[in-house]
Amino acid sequence: MEALLLGVGLLLGAYVLVYYNLVKAPPCHGLASLRGRTAVVTGANSGIGKMTALELARRGARVVLACRSRERGEAAAFDLRQESGNNEVIFMALDLASLASVRAFATAFLSSEPRLDILIHNAGISSCGRTREPFNLLLRVNHIGPFLLTHLLLPRLKTSAPSRVVVVSSAAHRRGRLDFTRLDRPVVGWRQELRAYADSKLANVLFARELATQLEGSGVTCYAAHPGPVNSELFLRHVPGWLRPLLRPLAWLVLRAPRGGAQTPLYCALQEGIEPLSGRYFANCHVEEVPPAARDDRAAHRLWEASRKLAGLGPGEDAESDEDSQPEDPGTPSSPSSPHPEEPTASELYPSPQNSTDRSTVTRRIPVKAELEPQAC
């Protein structure tokens, strides 16, 4: 009996150490009041996104829940209004798998909202499920859709500066390896899905890095944020139904609650004094170093150019476009002469490395002269 009690005690002690060192997230403080400011959170009808939106609403922000499902989005907006006591929480339809939907959202937002102070790209998928598309669905939802949305909303972010863009990434980016010759190929099978998910998370980190360079001096800063291991719908969505009852108790024990997963994205959105770290990757409310593939400036710029073409962005729709520019009507069908083709041809996407412009002549990396000390989040 004594041996059994000792074993149980050791297990409990080990769990407490694991929980407080690896699972429990430090709380985010940052700006106490967001009154008069507007935030957009994608995928905010559940999980990390909903908890992120709740905290922003509690601090007085006007919060736009950008979600695919109208029913779930409206229900989440109602819940958040009730829980936060803030009536400025609204739903707007956004399906990141559809470039037309992204453009429609941007058009609606720019025509109705005079400010945009915080843009949080939280929505994402980890599997294609039963959906079969002629493109890489994981890259489309996790990177290309957010890339296009950021471009279309940049004029409003700039006029509202100082403002921030937060891209929710993952530690899975460390396994990513971008193959620019196969970037938008359809994904088939669970092995390809695992690889494509890691690649899309690497794309998130490189996007934040390049966006920081493109927006240097504009007052808009951007960050990649890892929420940590989180017990959310993304974790169980594609697990077979018979296995879920077995995994739920385990997930409850070793994974963070969505509220904990929201802390690092909130830190990146709200913490004062981290502007010099624009473009960096954060986890557990402090900046973390990334592997060489995630800090490759040439790859970041090449991904930027490939993403522009995959997103159907025309020559006049770059990050330096006029402040008053508006996205064109997304309802118009694409045609060969359209400036925003829905699906660019593969031959347009990948210029030969020998013919590409030298990275150093295009832009300059933001110098980070000193690391900020990690602060209480």
Side-chain angles (χ1 to χ4, degrees), residues 110-132:
L110 293 174
S111 65
S112 63
E113 301 295 330
R115 296 190 59 85
L116 178 55
D117 302 273
I118 301 169
L119 172 59
I120 300 180
H121 293 298
N122 165 79
I125 59 173
S126 58
S127 168
C128 299
R130 297 180 180 178
T131 304
R132 291 293 175 264

Side-chain angles (χ1 to χ4, degrees), residues 322-361:
D322 184 79
E323 299 296 321
D324 297 324
S325 62
Q326 295 285 338
E328 295 190 13
D329 182 3
T332 305
S334 298
S335 67
S337 61
S338 169
H340 311 303
E342 180 75 11
E343 299 295 335
T345 61
S347 62
E348 295 176 318
L349 298 179
Y350 313 110
S352 169
Q354 289 85 352
N355 297 331
S356 60
T357 305
D358 191 306
R359 177 73 175 87
S360 62
T361 65

Side-chain angles (χ1 to χ4, degrees), residues 100-318:
S101 175
V102 175
R103 288 183 175 276
F105 174 90
T107 299
F109 182 89
L110 293 174
S111 65
S112 63
E113 301 295 330
R115 296 190 59 85
L116 178 55
D117 302 273
I118 301 169
L119 172 59
I120 300 180
H121 293 298
N122 165 79
I125 59 173
S126 58
S127 168
C128 299
R130 297 180 180 178
T131 304
R132 291 293 175 264
E133 299 287 356
F135 50 81
N136 184 335
L137 183 62
L138 283 154
L139 187 76
R140 172 69 68 87
V141 173
N142 294 351
H143 170 64
I144 299 299
F147 177 90
L148 176 60
L149 183 61
T150 302
H151 271 264
L152 298 178
L153 297 182
L154 267 178
R156 198 53 42 87
L157 284 163
K158 289 179 179 179
T159 57
S160 304
S163 54
R164 294 187 181 183
V165 178
V166 180
V167 185
V168 177
S169 183
S170 165
H173 81 273
R174 299 179 184 279
R175 303 192 304 271
R177 294 292 182 272
L178 293 178
D179 182 350
F180 287 94
T181 65
R182 303 172 58 88
L183 202 58
D184 201 39
R185 300 279 179 87
V187 175
V188 180
W190 65 269
R191 287 186 179 86
Q192 288 190 20
E193 286 183 344
L194 287 174
R195 165 70 186 272
Y197 177 75
D199 291 349
S200 71
K201 296 293 103 178
L202 174 58
N204 291 157
V205 178
L206 291 173
F207 171 47
R209 187 175 183 87
E210 180 67 14
L211 185 62
T213 298
Q214 297 282 343
L215 297 179
E216 182 180 3
S218 68
V220 183
T221 53
C222 45
Y223 312 89
H226 172 41
V230 178
N231 183 12
S232 68
E233 286 189 8
L234 193 65
F235 171 69
L236 292 172
R237 184 177 298 165
H238 305 296
V239 172
W242 63 269
L243 191 56
R244 291 181 187 178
L246 301 176
L247 287 180
R248 285 187 188 279
L250 180 63
W252 184 82
L253 284 172
V254 302
L255 300 179
R256 290 176 181 172
R259 188 183 302 277
Q263 298 309 303
T264 298
L266 284 166
Y267 178 89
C268 293
L270 303 176
Q271 186 64 41
E272 297 175 281
I274 64 171
E275 291 81 4
L277 297 176
S278 181
R280 301 293 294 277
Y281 172 84
F282 285 75
N284 290 318
C285 298
H286 66 265
V287 70
E288 275 196 3
E289 290 302 321
V290 293
R295 57 176 187 266
D296 184 336
D297 290 340
R298 185 178 292 274
H301 186 67
R302 190 178 180 192
L303 175 66
W304 181 277
E305 294 303 320
S307 300
R308 283 178 53 81
K309 292 175 181 177
L310 286 171
L313 283 167
E317 288 184 298
D318 57 23

